[in-house]
Structure formats: C-alpha cells, structure tokens
Amino acid sequence: MEIKPVAYFRAPMSEKFGLPRQAGVAGSLRGTVVLEPEYRSPDALRGLEDFDYVWLLWEFHLNRETASGSLTVRPPRLGGNERVGVFASRSPYRPNRLGLSSVRVESVDAAKGEIRVLGADLADGTPIYDIKPYVAYADSHPGVRSGFVDGHEWKPLDVRLPKEFFPYFSPDHIDGLFEILAQDPRPQYQDDPERIYGLLYEGRNIKFKVADGVLTVVAVERTS
C-alpha cells in the first residue's frame, strides 16, 4: 500500500526537542491541520465541526532512525534508562515511524481546508496521512490499566519565565509554551542544574536551566 499526506501540520515548534511527549499534555498548545489542495473542498470537512476531538495519523518525519535495529526503547516515564518493547511504548522510534494523536478541535474552516486544534504533539511541517473523528462510545475506555505509566507519576516543573520575555511570543501561544516547559523537555537521564538548554519556539531560541523542580528561562534569542 502506498500512502501520501492528506494534510500538513502548522505549529510554533519546528524541532523534536521540547515537543510534548504525548498529545493532550500541553492542552493549550495551538496548531493547524492544513489540507492538501486536492482535498481542500468544503465537502471533505463537512460535519467535523460537530466533533470535539479528532484522531490524526501522521509521520515522525524528523526521525532519521527507526526501531528496526532494536525492538526495545527507553521511555522517559521510566527515567530514560529502563527498556520496554517498542510495541509496549509510545516511542517515536518505530518500524514505520507512524504516530497517532487525539487532539481537541478548536475550530473548523471548511472553505480553507483548515482545522485549528489544541494539544497536539506534532512539529511544524508534519505530514498527516488521515483524520478521523473521535467518538466516545468506541474510543473511551475509563478505568483501564496503562502498564508502567500507572506506577510512575510525572511531576510538572515550576516554570519561571521573566515578564520581560512575554512580548516575544504571541498571546495565542504563550500558554502552550508554559505547558511545554513544565513537562521538562530535557532527556530524563540528564540532571545538571548548571547546564543551559535551548528550545526553539515561534522562531525564538529559549535558553533555560532546571534545578530542584524549577525551570528558569535565562534568555530568549532570535534565530534569524
């Protein structure tokens, strides 16, 4: 079977570093699904405005590696050191590099072929291969087990972003930035309080460090 994108994703993040590790954990993060010209007809999205969530089937296009060399991965929730099977994980390093995300529909512009969504874990330029509505009676399974995730609580960081940096970001994206930083973008095996990291967001390089559960932004620089 040959597949090709039906849409591409537009978002304030263009690199892997800092992307939410799951859809929904940064629920204020905005992005837009833009249909390819051949699907950009009001008919293609007719009725979608009546759904609160959609499933996106997409590609980890920024990955140069797959799981073909190793069938185990190291989930961040386990500290980045313990291994589980690739099919028992949500790792981006998969045999076919396919991602599946449930995202909230903010608005639908059928005439333009655009869906504005919240909480996506996709980078700017991500190819999307299918879009399906989320239906609660079939897709929701409350009270189920979630494997190793159940036993490893994820504690968000306290984010300190000095107010002088606020004007560098658009009002639509500032809340999403706070949520992304709170999820701790660092590799989980690194814990150096003096190390400064850089995260690209809305064309800015955000420099930050983490110590004692607090993430502090120390600089915001233009990237071009």
Side-chain angles (χ1 to χ4, degrees):
M1 179 179 70
E2 293 185 6
I3 58 175
K4 63 179 182 178
V6 299
Y8 284 88
F9 198 67
R10 299 301 171 212
M13 303 190 70
S14 58
E15 295 188 343
K16 290 189 294 183
F17 184 76
L19 279 173
R21 293 189 174 100
Q22 300 293 334
V25 298
S28 299
L29 183 61
R30 285 185 161 90
T32 306
V33 176
V34 182
L35 293 179
E36 285 289 85
E38 62 188 291
Y39 305 108
R40 209 169 292 166
S41 163
D43 289 340
L45 298 178
R46 184 189 302 170
L48 191 62
E49 68 277 2
D50 295 329
F51 292 88
D52 285 334
Y53 284 83
V54 293
W55 290 104
L56 302 179
L57 181 65
W58 49 280
E59 180 186 355
F60 290 101
H61 70 296
L62 297 177
N63 288 358
R64 296 293 179 261
E65 305 172 35
T66 67
S68 57
S70 173
L71 294 180
T72 61
V73 296
R74 298 181 296 181
R77 186 60 70 94
L78 293 177
N81 292 311
E82 186 175 340
R83 287 188 173 272
V84 300
V86 65
F87 298 127
S89 80
R90 309 285 283 266
S91 169
Y93 299 103
R94 318 193 67 77
N96 288 309
R97 298 196 306 198
L98 290 177
L100 180 67
S101 298
S102 173
V103 300
R104 187 172 184 86
V105 176
E106 183 177 29
S107 64
V108 177
D109 190 331
K112 290 184 178 180
E114 296 182 357
I115 311 166
R116 294 193 70 188
V117 301
L118 297 168
D121 52 344
L122 285 68
D124 187 63
T126 296
I128 297 173
Y129 294 105
D130 205 359
I131 304 162
K132 299 178 186 291
Y134 176 101
V135 290
Y137 84 91
D139 297 338
S140 177
H141 304 283
V144 301
R145 297 180 301 155
S146 297
F148 61 83
V149 178
D150 289 338
H152 294 79
E153 182 183 4
W154 189 274
K155 295 182 179 179
L157 300 174
D158 181 13
V159 177
R160 307 285 173 84
L161 176 66
K163 290 189 180 299
E164 70 234 43
F165 297 141
F166 278 42
Y168 295 161
F169 306 102
S170 64
D172 280 352
H173 293 302
I174 192 72
D175 289 342
L177 174 61
F178 268 91
E179 292 175 343
I180 287 167
L181 295 175
Q183 289 297 311
D184 195 351
R186 302 172 302 163
Q188 293 308 293
Y189 53 82
Q190 293 181 2
D191 189 20
D192 181 355
E194 297 304 318
R195 180 167 181 171
I196 294 179
Y197 297 85
L199 181 150
L200 293 181
Y201 190 86
E202 278 202 297
R204 307 276 184 171
N205 189 9
I206 302 167
K207 300 291 185 67
F208 67 90
K209 56 185 180 179
V210 180
D212 299 324
V214 177
L215 183 151
T216 303
V217 176
V218 297
V220 177
E221 303 170 350
R222 291 184 180 272
T223 58
S224 60

